[in-house]
Amino acid sequence: MRLRLEHQEVLLRLLSQENYPFSKVKEYLATLDKERVLHERPMEDKIIHQVLSLELRARTQKLLSPHLYSYQKGRGANEAWDKIIAWVKEYRRLPIPKTNRGIFVIQADVKSYTDTVPIGDSSELLRDLRSQYAMVAETIYAQNLIDAMRPVVEASESVTFQPNGEYQYAVGLPTGSHLTPVLANLYLGRLDRLAKQFPEGFYVRYGDDIFFAIADGLHCEQWWSKAQGILKELRLSVHPDKLQKTYWNGASRHAPEGTPHFEDYRGSVSLNHLGARIWWQGTVSLTLEKQAAWLRAYRMRIRHLILEIRRCMPKLSIIDQAKILCEATNEFFHASHPYVQMNQSSAAWRDIHLYILRILSYRLSGIKNQKAFRVVTPRMLVNECGLILPRGHKNEPD
């Protein structure tokens, strides 16, 4: 849904004249990366949310931390991985004996982040919007912005469920709204700015995923103590099952004794971050869970596509069917996809290639075992049907 600039300006003028009466929303359960509760709202409200989000994004874009990689054009998980790898490589070039090399890493996940952000009139988010982000009450749509952040109008302090599925509460950004990613980036701005106090460390954030690394264990604990204080003031908490403390090095050595809370840091040669496994030597690969989910999504897409082809075009030849499936495969595994750009091992790519060929051969031939390759050969898929197998990009470790 795109709005022309002149339409946005008209809507903003209308919002500046009087408060827009937002409708109550209804919740429904959707399966995305996991089961999530989304909010359904009228189209008019969606348009207003989009206008407000565009205006708020424009006002705050330059104020976002350079350590933030979520919900921004040209900045995503892949760029965050590259920054981590570059920082580790730079550290490994320092004149430090290999037996003394090691980095203290803290990874944390804010528990139910967008569902627990306070949005009442006295919330920290609104104070930041009014002060740091120049969103004073007299400006164009301050009250409408406050209302838009609430899942319903006239939010109360406690959750109230209605028989028809409508409800009210005073915490939680409106899931599915254009405003939510913008506000999720802004609310943890104080935590992002904490990194300036530890210039020798490394910090990145993606939404509610927090990553901090530093060579000094004492400073690492000092950062974590201050970070916890900020989260408490923001009325947020860390998911206890997702808090990880790691002593990252090339031999999985334990953290040196004498370091504060050294027993909490497990030695490891790799870290899992944003669905990727980042290795000490400077390479990155998908975790087994993410790779399985990625390939499962591909399998389901091909399954639905072949069923649709045979329903709409039952007389289409196998070659023509294969060309359509190969085109869909090339689009799914496009070279610009963050997962395709990973520097995975040759063995990992061979497994992915074999999986793709098996799915295509099985769906086209109807044969589930290796005999499917006699009917639909890999050579035919590549040479005659235009299949391009993903190969990732070159990123050799030091």
Side-chain angles (χ1 to χ4, degrees), residues 67 87 90 103-104 194-204 211-216 219-220 223:
H67 307 290
W87 187 80
E90 184 177 349
I103 296 172
F104 291 85
L194 176 62
K196 295 180 180 179
Q197 300 180 26
F198 299 85
E200 70 279 16
F202 180 84
Y203 169 83
V204 293
F211 181 102
F212 181 77
I214 196 168
D216 189 307
H219 290 170
C220 192
W223 174 88

Side-chain angles (χ1 to χ4, degrees), residues 24-28 37-40 152 160-168:
K24 292 187 177 182
V25 298
K26 294 185 178 181
E27 67 174 1
Y28 66 95
V37 176
L38 299 185
H39 296 159
E40 180 61 35
V152 295
T160 304
F161 289 90
Q162 306 296 335
N164 60 0
E166 297 177 352
Y167 62 101
Q168 300 177 331

Side-chain angles (χ1 to χ4, degrees), residues 1-5 7-8 11 47-48 50-51 54:
M1 180 174 62
R2 293 183 180 272
L3 293 173
R4 295 172 61 181
L5 182 59
H7 294 165
Q8 296 178 33
L11 286 171
I47 294 173
I48 298 300
Q50 184 180 14
V51 171
L54 291 171

Side-chain angles (χ1 to χ4, degrees), residues 141-212:
Y141 54 78
Q143 186 58 45
N144 287 287
L145 177 62
I146 294 171
D147 289 340
M149 286 189 295
R150 293 173 171 148
V152 295
V153 179
E154 299 177 353
S156 61
E157 287 302 322
S158 60
V159 180
T160 304
F161 289 90
Q162 306 296 335
N164 60 0
E166 297 177 352
Y167 62 101
Q168 300 177 331
Y169 54 11
V171 296
L173 301 177
T175 308
S177 167
H178 289 277
L179 275 168
T180 300
V182 185
L183 296 170
N185 275 351
L186 293 174
Y187 191 58
L188 283 173
R190 285 180 57 193
L191 181 63
D192 299 337
R193 294 190 287 274
L194 176 62
K196 295 180 180 179
Q197 300 180 26
F198 299 85
E200 70 279 16
F202 180 84
Y203 169 83
V204 293
R205 178 169 70 88
Y206 188 97
D208 58 358
D209 286 294
I210 302 165
F211 181 102
F212 181 77

